[in-house]
């Protein structure tokens, strides 16, 4: 070694197979030297027994012994290299060199420096050690070490050594998803998909790039969803303000109507009271006149009784046999005006008018609302691939009923079982949609919408937590909003056709009685993240009692003037 004063070159101390300094060197009959393990491994991997260098064949595998001379020389070479590596210690650097920087928390220390407080500059994958700038010099000077793979400093280099063979984990087995050394690959993973760490790293980098692209798309999608939700909330706020203004106007009109009725009632009562007072005043005046006249006649009678003039008494007695002409006041009365019943009747009339006005206004608003959502009508057909085997679906995909016999259908993951249900073909992941279902003649049914990922196997409890927003009928007249827990709906009129309206962006599902054009129930305040599909469950036919089908019916729009929609 030139640097050590040797007559031999550095390459002469390296095994031609592993290119490392000889370890237990042996000499073949042809005169070439190899590490003992390397030549045996080579012969084990081939059917021919020959020299890897000159290709000379041997009739049988020769018995090899360690070449003590080569081993001693290689050992001296190894010690000279180590002596050079440790000749200058970072603890005592030359005067022209700054002291090496000590490690900070999280940094890798040099494995050679005493105390391991000096920061490592590189880690060697062959030596499985980390070196500071000074102890790294042999890797920069000697040809043997120049071939080593240097990387950025890493902690725990011993984790890169095979625990079984004490060799570098330089390969990756894709079959077993584990790191292996060369010996592991040759003995335990011969038929596996084994690649170098560099090749696996390139593959992983490619996967990381794809994952980053996918994550960026997910981030953009979620950012767009956030903006959509914000726009939905803003639109909902505007709609709420508009509804408040409309409601305030309606109730202001109602209050004005009540006040007007109250003023009219007061005016009528006041007029009647004044008329009664005038009538009473006239009667009192007439009565007082008759009282005066009667008192005068009474005085005259008393004077006649006391007179001694008999002729005068007789002449005047005939005129006093009957009382003076006077009105019979027993049948004369003054009617009372302020009967409580009168006021109550007036109040009832006003209340009835208020109730009628309110009812008409609510009906008008419901009419407007239903007409508005009917503008979002979509064409819905049933999906046979999701239908329970006992469901009978019409050829046009618009009717479904429960049959007594199960059809021979494949049990695909999309098919409901045992729930007697079916979804629509069409799914919606944005915007608004509306459709109508005829339920005439049925005693039980469930209709609404369901998430794309709903569990179609096993139990089929209907509620928003399980991905269903539905309305149901039980026992002919019991209507329920299928929430948690279900909410009873005492409907004044039994619907024959039910309208289903979904505002995906606003998180709303509403149901309407199309016949009476009235609102039944609304699920509100939800955030939908999946595609929604129309949901239908005709329920069991119960021996024919509930055999009528659910029918997706065409929408009949209300003939309304354009002004009907100006407030929406």
């Amino acid at each position: 070694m030139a640097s050590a004063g040797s007559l031999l070159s550095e390459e002469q101390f390296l095994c031609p197979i592993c290119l490392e300094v000889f370890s237990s060197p042996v000499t073949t009959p042809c005169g070439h030297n190899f590490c003992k393990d390397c030549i045996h491994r080579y012969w084990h991997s081939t059917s021919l027994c020959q020299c890897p260098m000159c290709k000379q064949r041997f009739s049988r595998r020769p018995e090899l012994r360690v070449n003590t001379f080569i081993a001693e020389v290689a050992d001296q070479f190894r010690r000279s290299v180590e002596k050079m590596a440790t000749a200058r210690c970072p603890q005592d650097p030359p005067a022209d060199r700054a002291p090496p920087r000590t490690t900070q928390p999280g940094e890798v220390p040099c494995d050679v420096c005493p105390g391991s407080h000096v920061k490592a500059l590189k880690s060697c994958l062959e030596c499985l050690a980390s070196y500071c700038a000074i102890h790294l010099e042999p890797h920069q000077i000697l040809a043997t070490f120049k071939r080593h793979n240097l990387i950025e400093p890493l902690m725990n280099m011993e984790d890169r050594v095979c625990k079984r063979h004490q060799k570098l984990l330089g390969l990756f087995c894709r079959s077993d998803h584990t790191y292996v050394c060369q010996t592991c690959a040759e003995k335990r993973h011969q038929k596996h998909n084994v690649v170098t760490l560099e090749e696996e790293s390139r593959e992983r980098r490619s996967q990381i790039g794809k994952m980053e692209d996918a994550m960026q798309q997910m981030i953009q999608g979620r950012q767009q969803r956030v903006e959509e939700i914000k726009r939905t909330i803003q639109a909902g706020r505007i709609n709420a303000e508009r509804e408040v203004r409309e409601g305030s106007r309606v109730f202001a009109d109602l209050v004005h109507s009540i006040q007007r009725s109250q003023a009219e009632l007061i005016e009528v009562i006041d007029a009647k009271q004044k008329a009664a007072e005038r009538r009473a005043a006239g009667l009192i005046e007439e009565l007082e006149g008759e009282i005066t006249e009667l008192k005068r006649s009474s005085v005259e009678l008393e004077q006649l009784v006391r007179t001694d003039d008999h002729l005068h008494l007789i002449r005047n007695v005939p005129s006093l046999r009957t009382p003076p002409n006077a009105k019979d006041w027993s049948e004369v009365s003054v009617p009372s005006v302020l009967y409580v019943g009168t006021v109550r009747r007036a109040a009832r009339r006003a209340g009835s008018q208020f109730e009628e006005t309110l009812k008409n206004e609510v009906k008008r608003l419901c009419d407007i609302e239903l007409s508005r959502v009917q503008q979002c009508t979509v064409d819905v057909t049933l999906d046979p691939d999701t239908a329970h085997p006992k469901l009978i679906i019409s050829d046009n995909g618009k009717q479904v009923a429960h049959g007594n016999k199960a059809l021979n259908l494949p049990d695909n993951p999309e098919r409901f079982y045992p729930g007697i249900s079916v979804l629509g073909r069409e799914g919606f992941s944005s915007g608004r949609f509306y459709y109508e279902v005829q339920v005439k003649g049925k005693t039980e049914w469930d209709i609404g919408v369901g998430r794309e990922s709903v569990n179609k196997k096993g139990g089929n409890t209907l509620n928003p937590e399980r991905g269903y927003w539905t309305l149901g009928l039980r026992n002919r007249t019991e209507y329920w909003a299928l929430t948690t827990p279900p909410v009873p709906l005492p409907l004044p009129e039994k619907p024959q056709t039910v309208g289903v309206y979904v505002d995906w962006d606003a998180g709303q599902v509403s149901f309407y009685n199309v016949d009476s054009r009235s609102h039944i129930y609304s699920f509100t305040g939800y955030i939908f993240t999946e595609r929604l599909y129309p949901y239908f469950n005709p329920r069991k036919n119960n021996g024919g009692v509930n055999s009528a089908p659910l029918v997706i019916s065409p929408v009949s729009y209300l003939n309304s003037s354009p002004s009907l929609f100006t407030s929406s």
Side-chain angles (χ1 to χ4, degrees):
M1 184 179 72
S3 61
S6 174
L7 297 176
L8 299 174
S9 66
E10 299 171 5
E11 285 74 10
Q12 290 177 290
F13 295 100
L14 304 181
C15 172
I17 297 178
C18 67
L19 300 180
E20 299 289 346
V21 177
F22 285 118
S23 174
S24 299
V26 296
T27 304
T28 61
C30 60
H32 291 105
N33 299 308
F34 305 95
C35 293
K36 185 177 181 181
D37 288 342
C38 291
I39 188 63
H40 283 301
R41 190 184 307 115
Y42 174 78
W43 284 341
H44 181 73
S45 64
T46 179
S47 59
L48 297 176
C49 184
Q50 63 180 13
C51 175
M53 296 295 293
C54 64
K55 306 302 181 184
Q56 179 181 343
R57 295 187 181 184
F58 308 112
S59 58
R60 61 184 180 86
R61 184 175 296 184
E63 182 178 354
L64 302 177
R65 298 178 181 271
V66 175
N67 189 324
T68 57
F69 174 75
I70 298 296
E72 291 177 358
V73 175
D75 185 58
Q76 291 179 3
F77 175 78
R78 186 181 291 106
R79 287 199 299 270
S80 66
V81 171
E82 293 175 353
K83 183 177 179 181
M84 179 181 293
T86 58
R88 295 193 302 270
C89 179
Q91 304 301 323
D92 188 20
D96 60 345
R97 181 178 295 179
R101 188 168 69 84
T102 57
T103 57
Q104 301 296 324
E107 293 181 339
V108 180
C110 176
D111 291 330
V112 181
C113 292
S116 298
H117 295 306
V118 179
K119 180 180 181 294
L121 185 63
K122 294 288 183 180
S123 293
C124 177
L125 292 179
E126 279 69 29
C127 300
L128 298 176
S130 300
Y131 302 107
C132 65
I134 294 176
H135 290 128
L136 190 63
E137 287 185 355
H139 286 77
Q140 300 169 337
I141 297 173
L142 301 178
T144 301
F145 293 102
K146 285 182 178 180
R147 296 188 182 96
H148 290 190
N149 189 5
L150 299 177
I151 62 173
E152 293 301 315
L154 291 176
M155 299 288 289
N156 303 322
M157 290 295 293
E158 62 273 10
D159 292 341
R160 294 176 173 267
V161 177
C162 175
K163 301 297 188 296
R164 182 185 298 273
H165 303 105
Q166 300 300 312
K167 292 189 176 181
L168 179 67
L169 297 173
L171 304 172
F172 182 77
C173 179
R174 289 177 173 173
S175 302
D176 293 339
H177 298 282
T178 185
Y179 303 98
V180 297
C181 68
Q182 185 65 40
T183 304
C184 290
E186 294 172 355
K187 292 184 178 181
R188 303 171 63 88
H189 301 266
Q190 290 181 350
K191 297 182 180 181
H192 293 184
N193 183 10
V194 179
V195 297
T196 63
L197 294 182
E198 290 79 8
E199 184 177 351
E200 181 65 19
S201 176
R202 286 194 298 271
E203 179 65 22
R204 296 291 178 92
R205 291 176 189 274
S206 175
Q207 293 177 0
I208 290 174
K210 294 178 181 178
M211 289 177 62
E212 289 179 343
D213 293 341
M215 291 177 66
Q216 287 300 322
Q217 292 178 0
M218 293 172 66
I219 291 172
Q220 292 176 1
R222 280 153 177 75
Q223 288 176 340
Q224 292 176 358
R225 183 62 182 141
V226 168
E227 294 301 321
E228 291 174 358
I229 293 174
K230 289 182 178 178
R231 289 195 297 270
T232 299
I233 295 299
Q234 180 63 23
R237 184 179 296 112
I238 294 174
N239 290 335
E241 292 174 353
R242 184 179 64 240
E243 294 297 334
V244 168
R245 290 194 299 271
E246 178 67 15
S248 299
R249 183 191 63 77
V250 170
F251 281 98
D253 292 345
L254 294 174
V255 170
H256 178 69
S257 175
I258 292 174
Q259 291 175 341
R260 185 172 62 250
S261 299
Q262 180 185 19
E264 292 174 354
L265 175 63
I266 293 174
E267 183 178 351
V268 169
I269 293 175
D270 186 58
K272 289 184 177 181
Q273 176 64 24
K274 290 180 178 179
E277 290 178 356
R278 289 195 298 271
R279 168 66 172 162
L283 294 175
I284 290 172
E285 182 179 359
E286 187 176 352
L287 282 169
E288 288 179 345
E290 290 192 3
I291 291 171
T292 302
E293 181 64 25
L294 288 172
K295 287 181 178 181
R296 185 184 60 77
S297 299
S298 177
V299 171
E300 290 180 353
L301 288 175
E302 289 180 358
Q303 292 176 351
L304 287 174
V305 170
R306 296 190 186 101
T307 184
D308 294 331
D309 186 350
H310 301 292
L311 180 61
H312 177 72
L313 174 63
I314 293 170
R315 286 178 177 176
N316 289 282
V317 165
S319 63
L320 298 175
R321 289 178 179 176
T322 60
N325 293 330
K327 183 183 294 185
D328 184 4
W329 292 95
S330 62
E331 299 298 328
V332 178
S333 64
V334 179
S336 176
V337 177
L338 299 178
Y339 286 119
V340 175
T342 303
V343 178
R344 287 179 177 173
R345 285 192 298 273
R348 280 198 297 270
R349 285 195 298 272
S352 177
Q353 293 174 357
F354 173 83
E355 183 178 353
E356 186 66 24
T357 303
L358 182 60
K359 185 185 299 183
N360 292 336
E361 187 62 27
V362 170
K363 188 177 185 304
R364 186 183 73 85
L365 293 176
C366 289
D367 223 14
I368 292 174
E369 181 181 358
L370 183 57
S371 298
R372 182 173 65 241
V373 302
Q374 284 181 328
Q375 307 307 309
C376 304
T377 297
V378 295
D379 184 23
V380 174
T381 54
L382 301 171
D383 184 3
D385 291 337
T386 66
H388 183 278
K390 286 190 175 182
L391 289 184
I392 303 172
I393 297 177
S394 62
D395 293 338
N396 64 356
K398 297 294 185 179
Q399 299 185 25
V400 58
H402 178 256
N404 294 319
K405 184 178 179 180
L407 303 177
N408 186 16
L409 300 173
D411 186 19
N412 54 54
E414 293 79 21
R415 191 176 305 284
F416 281 97
Y417 192 86
I420 308 173
S421 308
V422 61
L423 295 180
R425 288 182 182 273
E426 301 77 15
F428 304 87
S429 58
S430 63
R432 306 168 182 173
F433 64 94
Y434 173 85
Y435 62 95
E436 293 180 355
V437 183
Q438 180 180 307
V439 296
K440 183 178 180 180
K442 297 194 64 62
T443 60
E444 291 188 352
W445 49 259
D446 298 317
I447 58 175
V449 293
R451 277 200 307 251
E452 184 175 19
S453 64
V454 293
N455 180 23
K456 300 180 179 65
K457 307 298 182 182
N460 198 18
T461 303
L462 302 181
N463 56 49
E465 288 73 19
R466 292 181 178 267
Y468 296 94
W469 290 265
T470 55
L471 193 73
L473 169 65
R474 302 290 184 272
N475 302 323
R476 296 180 182 272
T477 59
E478 299 175 6
Y479 295 90
W480 298 84
L482 301 180
T483 63
T484 305
V487 176
L489 303 173
L491 302 184
E493 300 179 54
K494 183 177 181 179
Q496 303 298 307
T497 302
V498 176
V500 182
Y501 169 71
V502 178
D503 189 334
W504 196 94
D505 300 308
Q508 173 184 342
V509 180
S510 297
F511 299 88
Y512 299 88
N513 183 340
V514 178
D515 308 287
S516 64
R517 304 193 64 80
S518 59
H519 174 262
I520 297 176
Y521 187 82
S522 286
F523 294 88
T524 60
Y526 292 89
I527 297 178
F528 300 130
T529 58
E530 297 182 30
R531 186 177 293 271
L532 297 180
Y533 288 82
Y535 172 82
F536 307 86
N537 185 339
R539 310 284 295 181
K540 294 183 178 180
N541 61 30
N542 292 330
V545 175
N546 190 38
S547 61
L550 291 174
V551 181
I552 303 172
S553 56
V555 176
S556 299
Y557 297 96
L558 179 68
N559 294 325
S560 304
S561 62
S563 62
L564 181 64
F565 303 99
T566 56
S567 62
S568 61

